[in-house]
Amino acid sequence: QVQVVESGGGLVQAGGSLRLSCAASGSTFTINTMGWYRQAPGKQRELVAAITRGGSPNYADSVKGRFTLSRDSTKNTVYLQMNSLKPEDTAVYYCYAHVTYIATMTSNDYWGQGTQVTVSS
């Protein structure tokens, strides 16, 4: 089993910044993809940013130039730096990890519990 634990989030005024962290831990595995999705009330969950093993981050058009996804592979951790936040960024942010277990070479998806980001106008 793999645990995905998020931290960060909270309430910020428009134009402000927040940083989200997400760490994956558990059985011996490799991370294929790790990133963040978000879901606003009444809307579908959408990709915010993700990074594949050996690749560069991909971003939703709505956050390009404002959000930065980085990773620390030694800690199986990704960070989402969110700048110039807008009220429309308000949502529950979920961390996602697609991993492969080294022992069995099987893969699975894991989600964090979600963290609320609220941007006031």
Side-chain angles (χ1 to χ4, degrees):
Q1 278 288 345
V2 173
Q3 293 77 44
V4 176
V5 179
E6 304 137 335
S7 61
L11 174 64
V12 66
Q13 289 188 330
S17 299
L18 284 173
R19 188 190 194 215
L20 306 181
S21 300
C22 175
S25 62
S27 303
T28 304
F29 58 90
T30 59
I31 295 175
N32 302 311
T33 303
M34 199 164 179
W36 292 90
Y37 283 70
R38 68 185 180 187
Q39 187 167 19
K43 295 187 177 181
Q44 289 188 332
R45 190 173 296 190
E46 62 175 1
L47 174 67
V48 177
I51 187 167
T52 58
R53 183 158 48 98
S56 299
N58 293 310
Y59 299 95
D61 288 343
S62 59
V63 306
K64 284 181 180 177
R66 300 188 297 122
F67 291 12
T68 301
L69 181 67
S70 60
R71 65 182 168 188
D72 184 340
S73 298
T74 64
K75 299 179 180 179
N76 290 328
T77 299
V78 292
Y79 306 94
L80 185 67
Q81 178 66 42
M82 305 184 293
N83 299 328
S84 302
L85 282 161
K86 305 175 181 179
E88 50 263 44
D89 294 318
T90 295
V92 178
Y93 284 68
Y94 296 92
C95 184
Y96 161 79
H98 178 69
V99 308
T100 297
Y101 290 103
I102 294 176
T104 61
M105 295 308 292
T106 57
S107 300
N108 209 345
D109 298 332
Y110 294 92
W111 293 88
Q113 76 283 1
T115 184
Q116 178 70 45
V117 171
T118 303
V119 184
S120 62
S121 57

